[in-house]
Amino acid sequence: MAESLFWALVAAFLLGCLAVAAASLDGALGARGRGAGNLAGGWSAPLAETARLMRQRRRTLVAADVLLWRTGGAALLVAALLKVAVVPVDGWALADLAVGLVWFNAMDVTVWAAVWLTGWGANSAHALIGGYRFLAQGLAYELPLMFALTAPAVAAGSLRLAEVEAAQRGGAWFVLWMPVAFAVYCLGVVAFSVWGPLSVAAGVDLAGGVLAELSGVDRLLVLAGRYALLATGAAFAVPMFLGGADGPLLPGWAWFALKTLLLLAVLVALKRRLPVLRPDRFVEVGWLVLLPAVLLQVLVVSVVAVWRY
Amino acid sequence: MGVRQWLTTLSLRQVHVLVVEVPGWWSTRVAAQQQLSARGWPEASSPADADVLLVCGHPGARFDAAVEQVWDQLPGPRARERAETPSDVADALDRAAAVLADTDRQRRDAQDRDRPDDESDQHSTDADAHEDSDGDSGANSHEMSDMDHGDMGDMGDMGDMDMSGMDHGDMDMAPGGIPLAGGGDDRDGLEMDVLQVPLGPVLPCWPAGLVLRCSLQGDVVVAAEVEVLTAGSTAPAPDLSPRAEAARLCDQARQVLELSGWGTAAQQAARVRDDLLTGADAAACRARLGRLRATVERSRLLRWSLRDLGRASTTHGAAVGLPVPVGDVHDRLLSFLRSAGDLLDERLDEKADHHPADQLKVSARWTGTDPVELPDLVTGLDLAAVRLVVASVAPDTATADTSATAEVDGG
């Protein structure tokens, strides 16, 4: 009991490190984009931002649903922690559930509630519209994401992540023969982290959307939750698509860390490079392009799996 | 004490500034953005996100009241400054930082705000619900949140807003001082809540001083009324040199790009703008603008995203006799960049001595849309589209008739 608690804290700490790394990289990329000579300021941006938000007062709004508002804000971080519990590092996970993959997806759906509640609780038009935008976006990305997660499970014949990882050991990584599923998965990660091209819920045009009324610690929790979700998405992709701890020379955990950081860096860099996908148009793509494409991918994987055994 | 000092020092590296532009003080606002960018300070997206409220220019009485409301919504520690000329900006920001660093002063400010202020609070029954003293801070929407509260006599002119299908009878039912949403038929003839949400005048990437009072069903604008909050004194004469005109077009393009969520391109546009204003080498400006234009033109994702948004027909423009830009948001974005390029090609090198006649020609080439046109253009669009359309038609609030108001009823 005490031991698993210890490892849970370690996992939370590592997730925190990843989130800070993502935020630092984002700060540095922002500083570079501005043409600032001082990149050090960019790297340390999350530190300064945290200090600022710790010093800032929380807001109390008229007729706000304070309980749900704050629950929603904190739930993002909780969802990220619960997701990371099933991710195996070199075959060992905090909670090696037999249905780890389904667990991940279930936690993803709680993000829907968390983002929407953050928008709802503030009793502000902009925040509420932001929350609903996230749901509209969810309609577009969630089903393709679910089917994208199905592909590695079918190939490995298991919903247990350690077995999905083991199925790739010494063989072809799943990303190589299920690129469509991997791409759709990454899109899903970006979407549930309210990030980059899929960040309409926190859009500039809504004065920050779900973030519009948040300040102080409340804002800090939501921002940290977003980075943590992005980091979890990157970490989860490693056993799912990128061969887990598989790799030459270095020990398994090092490969895991390396792959996670690389994917995380790519996801972070995506932020400013693309225009935002407006939900009304993205839904069309989700259902007419992504969903059929990923279904075809699952079909191909299934045929291969049947032919193999 | 050490930790607190450390936090303060760290937090001053990332001061978030909410920049408010008064019509006519464009160049001050741009100078503020340049300063922020140079210091690595982000621009705040909303009052809740802001530490500093920086007013660029001299606002009129109504505008000032709106600024006052926004000020009440800053969470604190907070500071407020005003800058008239571009050269004032740096000092104003330094002063603001000093105020933020003064922990004792901030603590006093926080205590003063917590004290209930009965005279100004008409809804003392719900005093438990807020920490701010004026009874409606942060409610509903952060920009001029009481403009739409019919029960606030000072600014709200709800009484003469005649919008069909809206039920003003339930104005009295106002929990927390916010009237409940009325009902109305939506686009499909189903009854749906109608919420009054004012956009502006304090909103990033939004024309200076513009207030667009929208009636929202969901996030669709079914009716809108426009007003321009004016300056309190005559603004300095705008620089009409081709360089400045081009910079203004780049800034407009920046706003559209920012609103479409494309950070890199928006930053590029800001850099072209700043280069033009700081008198960088003409060829370099032209090259940078050319690259930006190529990037924007190449992006199929952007075209797909902005396609057919806010399409204005030529006949419409002709009918009302106003220079409504044709095409959709994407067309107008490209035309900003193209016109800026044209201006540079022709006049940049001889900016020192151009004739008054040339000035006229240049400034006649691009005049923003008259704000009274806006309700027509935005009715029936969702909020994201409204923001993009407004930025893309570049309403000219600086020269707008001060009494300009217009309204349109959704059908």
Side-chain angles (χ1 to χ4, degrees), chain A residues 176-273:
Chain A
L176 295 178
W177 56 292
M178 21 186 119
V180 178
F182 179 65
V184 170
Y185 169 79
C186 288
L187 202 68
V189 172
V190 172
F192 67 59
S193 312
V194 201
W195 188 253
L198 292 166
S199 63
V200 272
V204 186
D205 54 340
L206 279 185
V210 293
L211 298 171
E213 304 291 349
L214 292 164
S215 73
V217 171
D218 301 311
R219 194 182 188 88
L220 181 61
L221 273 179
V222 173
L223 294 181
R226 278 170 75 186
Y227 283 112
L229 281 171
L230 203 65
T232 329
F236 187 77
V238 174
M240 282 291 276
F241 292 100
L242 301 176
D246 193 26
L249 299 175
L250 294 175
W253 61 267
W255 274 111
F256 175 85
L258 195 65
K259 291 173 188 174
T260 306
L261 283 171
L262 269 179
L263 183 58
L264 186 57
V266 171
L267 293 176
V268 169
L270 211 64
K271 180 182 175 188
R272 295 183 176 79
R273 305 199 144 263

Side-chain angles (χ1 to χ4, degrees), chain A residues 101-167:
Chain A
L101 216 148
V102 180
W103 174 261
F104 182 87
N105 205 62
M107 290 308 111
D108 174 31
V109 178
T110 62
V111 173
W112 285 40
V115 175
W116 186 81
L117 286 178
T118 312
W120 157 266
N123 189 26
S124 145
H126 278 159
L128 185 61
I129 291 171
Y132 274 111
R133 278 188 182 179
F134 188 77
L135 297 189
Q137 178 174 298
L139 287 179
Y141 86 81
E142 190 62 47
L143 272 180
L145 175 63
M146 282 183 193
F147 283 109
L149 292 175
T150 316
V154 168
S158 169
L159 292 171
R160 189 189 292 273
L161 274 160
E163 285 173 21
V164 175
E165 185 190 15

Side-chain angles (χ1 to χ4, degrees), chain B residues 96-111:
Chain B
V99 171
L100 287 180
D102 187 347
T103 309
D104 290 334
R105 178 174 174 169
Q106 293 298 339
R107 192 172 294 135
R108 275 199 306 280
D109 177 45
Q111 279 161 357

Side-chain angles (χ1 to χ4, degrees), chain B residues 180-210:
Chain B
L180 293 177
D185 289 344
D186 77 350
R187 290 182 290 194
D188 308 318
L190 303 167
E191 169 141 2
M192 206 173 160
D193 282 359
V194 178
L195 192 63
Q196 306 298 326
V197 176
L199 294 179
V202 181
L203 197 60
C205 300
W206 182 258
L210 185 75

Side-chain angles (χ1 to χ4, degrees), chain A residues 29-30 32-36 40-41 44-45 47-52 54-63 122-126 129 133 196-197 204-208 211-216 219 271-278 280-282 284-285, chain B residues 7-8 10-11 13-14 16 37 40 45-46 48-51 73 75-77 100 103 110 113-114 129-131 135-138 140 142-143 176 178 197 199 203 216 219 258-264 267 271 301-302 304-307 309 383-385 387:
Chain A
L29 290 175
R32 200 188 63 174
R34 280 198 308 273
S44 65
L47 192 67
E49 185 70 21
T50 307
R52 185 183 86 87
M54 297 284 272
R55 199 167 168 257
Q56 198 174 52
R57 301 175 81 201
R58 306 170 95 175
R59 295 173 84 217
T60 323
L61 303 175
V62 179
N123 189 26
S124 145
H126 278 159
I129 291 171
R133 278 188 182 179
V204 186
D205 54 340
L206 279 185
L211 298 171
E213 304 291 349
L214 292 164
S215 73
R219 194 182 188 88
K271 180 182 175 188
R272 295 183 176 79
R273 305 199 144 263
L274 296 174
V276 159
L277 304 169
R278 300 174 347 101
D280 51 337
R281 306 217 161 156
F282 182 54
E284 205 177 296
V285 176
Chain B
L7 273 186
T8 307
L10 264 180
S11 68
R13 279 170 35 190
Q14 283 270 310
H16 290 220
S37 173
S45 58
S46 68
D49 184 31
D51 305 308
Q73 295 174 31
L100 287 180
T103 309
R113 292 171 86 187
D114 284 340
H130 35 82
E131 72 177 18
D136 68 338
S137 66
N140 184 10
H142 46 73
E143 42 303 319
I178 309 165
V197 176
L199 294 179
L203 197 60
L216 288 183
D219 69 343
E258 195 89 63
L259 288 171
S260 62
W262 194 3
T264 335
Q267 265 173 348
R271 284 182 78 172
L301 197 58
L302 187 73
W304 168 77
S305 181
L306 302 182
R307 184 188 57 197
L309 264 190
L383 218 52
R387 294 296 311 273

